């Protein structure tokens, strides 16, 4: 995981399944006989279910929660989708996040999954693989929309343009982009 600035109360964190959350409080919990720093995260959009996630600082990378990417990094993600190669991005011979592609819900991982499905060129018949693709696209569209402060539709259009001509994009990917805008 990249070296982060210290996370403080009211910082925003994103998860592709849970959406935008706010650090409500920093707490110390006793886990396995050790006192560890934990973040209590609450969804930014309040729901009737009083949901709260408590994530240990050491587990933050594997939990799927991460600070929103910067506008610069979001632009790099779009460039990656266009180029299909992380080293093709100007000034980016080495990824800034050493384990970026190993992080389950990080936007780079979601972009990698989207690109791998679009390059496969075959119809995905496995329901689980389709769900992974749909979740990846939805998470990527939502986070980039938050970062760029534009609508989901505008973000999906940007991603579609980066992937190339409409005739070369899998109908499954086009459908998942449309679904991400509707949800």
């Amino acid at each position: 995981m990249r070296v982060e600035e210290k996370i403080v109360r009211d910082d925003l964190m994103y998860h592709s399944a849970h959406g935008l959350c706010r650090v409500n409080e920093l707490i110390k919990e006793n886990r396995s006989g050790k006192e560890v720093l934990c973040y209590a995260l609450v969804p930014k959009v309040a729901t009737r279910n009083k949901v709260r996630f408590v994530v240990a600082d050491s587990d933050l990378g594997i939990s799927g929660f991460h600070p929103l990417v910067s506008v610069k990094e979001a632009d790099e993600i779009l460039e990656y989708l266009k180029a299909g190669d992380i080293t093709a991005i100007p000034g980016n011979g080495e990824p800034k996040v050493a384990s970026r592609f190993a992080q389950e819900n990080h936007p780079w991982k979601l972009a990698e999954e989207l690109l791998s499905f679009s390059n496969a060129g075959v119809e995905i018949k496995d329901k689980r693989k389709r769900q992974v693709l749909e979740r990846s696209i939805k998470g990527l569209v939502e986070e980039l929309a938050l970062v760029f402060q534009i609508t989901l539709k505008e973000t999906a259009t940007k991603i579609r343009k980066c992937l190339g001509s409409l005739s070369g994009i899998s109908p499954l990917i086009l459908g998942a982009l449309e679904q991400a805008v509707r949800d």
Side-chain angles (χ1 to χ4, degrees):
M1 188 163 175
R2 79 178 141 196
V3 178
E4 302 287 350
E5 293 180 15
K6 187 175 180 181
I7 297 171
V8 296
R9 186 174 181 189
D10 292 331
D11 277 356
L12 297 177
M13 305 291 278
Y14 187 79
H15 191 284
S16 65
H18 305 299
L20 189 62
C21 293
R22 179 180 54 82
V23 177
N24 191 40
E25 62 183 315
L26 283 73
I27 54 178
K28 299 269 186 180
E29 281 190 355
N30 191 359
R31 294 190 179 183
S32 301
K34 293 182 181 178
E35 193 172 86
V36 294
L37 173 65
C38 295
Y39 305 106
L41 305 166
V42 294
K44 187 78 169 131
V45 177
T47 61
R48 291 188 327 190
N49 305 338
K50 303 257 183 197
V51 177
R52 178 178 149 177
F53 306 98
V54 178
V55 182
D57 182 54
S58 60
D59 294 337
L60 198 58
I62 60 172
S63 72
F65 285 100
H66 59 272
L68 285 171
V69 294
S70 66
V71 172
K72 182 179 184 227
E73 192 170 11
D75 283 332
E76 289 176 351
I77 290 169
L78 291 176
E79 190 62 35
Y80 166 68
L81 290 174
K82 197 181 297 181
D85 182 8
I86 191 76
T87 58
I89 299 170
N92 207 15
E94 197 63 35
K96 290 182 178 66
V97 179
S99 61
R100 113 171 14 160
F101 293 108
Q103 295 176 14
E104 180 68 20
N105 293 301
H106 195 277
W108 281 100
K109 176 64 178 168
L110 302 178
E112 180 192 36
E113 288 173 356
L114 170 58
L115 202 56
S116 72
F117 281 116
S118 70
N119 289 339
V122 295
E123 188 176 324
I124 302 168
K125 294 182 181 180
D126 181 10
K127 182 180 180 181
R128 184 150 164 76
K129 286 183 180 179
R130 280 195 317 272
Q131 288 173 335
V132 167
L133 172 66
E134 290 166 358
R135 179 188 57 84
S136 296
I137 290 174
K138 184 178 188 306
L140 187 61
V141 167
E142 287 178 354
E143 183 165 0
L144 293 184
L146 285 168
V147 170
F148 289 130
Q149 297 180 353
I150 59 177
T151 66
L152 294 175
K153 185 173 183 164
E154 291 169 319
T155 306
T157 300
K158 277 184 175 221
I159 291 171
R160 191 174 59 234
K161 284 180 182 176
C162 288
L163 292 174
S165 70
L166 287 177
S167 62
I169 302 174
S170 160
L172 185 60
I173 291 174
L174 292 173
L177 282 167
E178 289 175 19
Q179 185 65 32
V181 171
R182 283 186 287 228
D183 289 343

